[in-house]
Amino acid sequence: MKVSLTKPLLSFLSLILLLSSFINGANDSQFPIVEATIADIQLAFADGRLTSRQLVDFYLDQIERLNPLLRSVLEINPDARSLADEADWERESTTWRDGKSLLGELHGVPVLLKDSIATKDALNTTMGSYTLLGSVSQRDATVVERLRRAGAVIMGKASLSEWYGARSWLIPYGWCGRGGQGVNPYVELGDPCGSSSGSAISVAASMVAVSLGTETDASIICPADHNSVVGIKPTVGLTSRAGVVPVSPRQDTIGPICRTVSDAVYVLDAIVGYDPRDHEATNAAAKFIPLGGYKQFLKEKGLKGKRLGVVRNPFLDIYNGSSAISTFECHLKTLRQGGATVIDHLEIENIDIINDANQSGEGIALTTEFKVELNKYLHDLVNSPVKSLADIIAFNLENPELELMTKYGQEQLIAAEMTNGIGEDVFKAVDTMKKLSENGFEKLMKENELDAMVTLGWGASTVLAIGGYPAISVPAGYELSSKMPFGICFGGLKGTEPKLIEIAYAFEQATMVRRPPPIVRMGPM
């Protein structure tokens, strides 16, 4: 089944009926895989109700049936089944202690990677663009090495906003040349957001267990928000960026996108840590990693004693007239009932300047850094059709039909190519962002002795991005009229992931808002 880029999509409702009939009965095992958590999966592995091979086969079937509509998966790993078989063999052969396997939480669990995260296997890493099709990386990205070490099955590559949305302002979130337009699984014409849209869509629609995304500014938090999943944007440097197509060494971070906070934390535990290939950032952040990892902070009473600051302006503006605001008010009551002190109506100093990329300096800094860092990445490839940003621009001009150049163009790539390296203008911009962060978000957190800032939706992403701060987005509800999902975002100072996890997990357990999209039906028990 194929969906043409040039033809209207089939009726959304008719496809729901058609696809749900296929999905029912798709799982031959006696285990309900749709919406299953990592803990559910591992328990089913342990008691023999499920194998990694069955799990992979189920997700492959889901992808075959749903991806023609949702367009969130670019490639399937041809070795996925054999990797699952290997995981099953390891599970049968492993030593047990006190009734528990010595294998980790991710062992045998399929993971989908954003198509900017390199793998040294049969998969491509292309940023959704035909320009990098056939390129070969020297090795796995460090986060992929760590996932493999944890026993995860690399399932394939997820779609994204091409070049992280840095090709043209006209390109919508979730579109790329290789995959077409990614579709929000909850709302036919709903924005899937970007750029880790494919990772979020795929997890939301149970096309994979868990996924990895990347964020420079909003690219994990926004897709998580729009697709009713959990996204963790780690402190910059907590996870290595080595082997990941870069934008900015100041702002880039790699994090999990999953259906639950616990699943996201299990993935986070697997990928954090010092990496000599990303020495400066990971060395600075290594001190934040707690002994024993992050899963110890999955506490149902994690709200007790926390101080939470609510910032409404300007983040609630886009929800004017929406049912999301009244839902948000209910959630604030839940936070208080859980034992948190909620300080409402706080303001971030210079928020209008922070949110204006021209005034804050973020625009010129990212544009310049993108060219410098991308050229380094391309130079390090073993083989590539393009070796520089200039080559990418030339390829697009020579292949306008592949990349829909007449429709979208590439003015942002050209603007980046016109920059001349890191100079005084960039140093000034970075200094401006540093001061804005110190006098804005950091001042807010410290003066009010906050454990986290709480906002509705994803609008605070730039506040958190320019300072390299962490955040967790958790499903918070669905608009009554449009059915569009929205999330609640918990942001903190660098290294405060333990507190954010406690808060996010306790909120999730108290509300349990998330539900599967209508296109997915629960399989047989």
Side-chain angles (χ1 to χ4, degrees), residues 166-167 169 363-364 367-368 370-371 389 393 410-420:
R167 188 184 119 185
W169 295 114
I364 184 61
T367 301
T368 305
F370 180 50
K371 176 185 177 180
L389 177 55
I393 293 170
Q410 56 179 346
E411 75 281 355
Q412 286 182 267
L413 294 182
I414 293 171
E417 176 60 25
M418 291 176 66
T419 61
N420 295 309

Side-chain angles (χ1 to χ4, degrees), residues 232-356:
I232 297 181
K233 172 196 181 273
T235 299
V236 169
L238 201 67
T239 54
S240 171
R241 289 83 52 86
V244 179
V245 181
V247 177
S248 166
R250 295 177 303 99
Q251 293 185 204
D252 291 350
T253 186
I254 319 301
I257 297 178
C258 305
R259 287 185 293 271
T260 66
V261 175
S262 58
D263 283 1
V265 169
Y266 292 145
V267 176
L268 184 67
D269 268 333
I271 63 175
V272 298
Y274 171 73
D275 179 15
R277 297 170 62 202
D278 189 9
H279 168 75
E280 185 174 352
T282 59
N283 184 58
K287 64 179 178 290
F288 297 132
I289 302 172
L291 186 65
Y294 290 100
K295 64 183 178 183
Q296 63 186 298
F297 301 104
L298 295 169
K299 301 176 181 178
E300 288 196 18
K301 296 184 178 180
L303 287 167
K304 190 173 182 180
K306 297 296 191 299
R307 288 178 60 84
L308 308 178
V310 179
V311 178
R312 296 171 179 263
N313 177 41
F315 309 127
L316 263 64
D317 290 351
I318 63 171
Y319 296 100
N320 285 340
S322 163
S323 63
I325 293 180
S326 61
T327 302
F328 183 60
E329 300 296 346
C330 291
H331 289 328
L332 295 182
K333 292 179 182 177
T334 298
L335 296 174
R336 293 186 181 98
Q337 290 168 356
T341 298
V342 177
I343 307 167
D344 207 345
H345 299 286
L346 297 179
E347 297 276 344
I348 298 173
E349 188 174 316
N350 295 314
I351 186 62
D352 292 339
I353 295 175
I354 291 170
N355 281 336
D356 185 330

